[in-house]
Amino acid sequence: MLRSVLIFPQLNDRFTINRIRQRYDDLYEHIAPHISLVFPFDNELTDETIIQVVADVIKKQQQFKLRLTAVSGDPKNGYVWLVVDQGSKILTELHDALYAEPILNPYYREDLPYQPHVTVAQGLSQLQAEQLLIELQNETYDLTATITEVAIEHILENGDSVVLGTIGLGERDEN
């Protein structure tokens, strides 16, 4: 069964992302806006083993702020996304640490340079993606969230996401 490790940011303005995703993202009805840490993989390990490995990696990570303000994408492959500005370094460190684990390392995607983002469009033609990218770059975005947990999901055959576990991040010291 396909699984992945991701974050579902509780953004201050989900309406903006959902408005775009509803029209341009063919996964809109299957999964909420998210940031992938480990891309979908398939192996025979138990869910409990996967959850434990993820928990071991993120156990010292504190909650952190996230901000998305820019639009980018991969128009050649039909993708458009909102780029994570604030919080990008932490997400990249988590991504790298998870893929450093022996059970996840075989699934590392060298063909996908990691850029933390929230996808808003996929499955478009190159021309459609280029046009949407230009359109969205004319708008202003300032979406924020505090990241409090990491999720592990099953991806069902119909594309639906079913969260099988979440791991909370440590409380931030506001002092």
Side-chain angles (χ1 to χ4, degrees):
M1 177 171 288
L2 278 177
R3 291 176 278 204
S4 74
V5 181
L6 50 138
I7 290 172
F8 293 104
Q10 299 303 308
L11 296 163
N12 62 320
D13 179 7
R14 292 183 78 171
F15 175 78
T16 297
I17 285 184
N18 285 331
R19 176 181 50 85
I20 301 165
R21 288 186 71 226
Q22 185 172 18
R23 187 167 174 197
Y24 297 105
D25 186 351
D26 52 10
L27 291 180
Y28 171 77
E29 294 195 8
H30 299 283
I31 187 168
H34 63 279
I35 300 163
S36 294
L37 293 174
V38 175
F39 296 107
F41 64 96
D42 189 9
N43 69 20
E44 299 300 319
L45 294 173
T46 66
D47 292 339
E48 292 75 21
T49 300
I50 301 292
I51 291 169
Q52 187 59 56
V53 167
V54 173
D56 289 346
V57 169
I58 68 164
K59 65 185 171 193
K60 293 183 181 175
Q61 178 60 53
Q62 299 297 306
Q63 296 178 10
F64 61 97
K65 297 271 189 203
L66 182 103
R67 173 169 267 129
L68 302 104
T69 59
V71 179
S72 187
D74 178 7
K76 181 179 175 186
N77 291 304
Y79 287 89
V80 177
W81 56 68
L82 294 175
V83 178
V84 175
D85 298 319
Q86 182 182 353
S88 181
K89 182 176 184 238
I90 294 170
L91 291 166
T92 300
E93 289 169 355
L94 290 172
H95 167 270
D96 294 349
L98 287 163
Y99 275 116
E101 289 296 313
I103 68 166
L104 295 174
N105 186 263
Y107 308 103
Y108 178 69
R109 300 278 310 266
E110 291 184 30
D111 62 317
L112 293 175
Y114 188 67
Q115 179 182 19
H117 66 273
V118 175
T119 300
V120 294
Q122 62 183 303
L124 304 178
S125 71
Q126 181 174 346
L127 180 60
Q128 289 171 315
E130 288 170 349
Q131 290 172 335
L132 180 60
L133 192 56
I134 291 167
E135 177 185 326
L136 295 179
Q137 286 174 335
N138 288 324
E139 297 182 33
T140 302
Y141 301 95
D142 189 14
L143 305 173
T144 61
T146 298
I147 303 306
T148 61
E149 64 185 16
V150 171
I152 298 94
E153 71 165 348
H154 279 167
I155 302 168
L156 304 181
E157 287 187 27
N158 69 355
D160 283 354
S161 169
V162 176
V163 174
L164 63 100
T166 59
I167 301 156
L169 301 180
E171 295 291 323
R172 290 177 12 154
D173 183 6
E174 297 293 337
N175 297 329

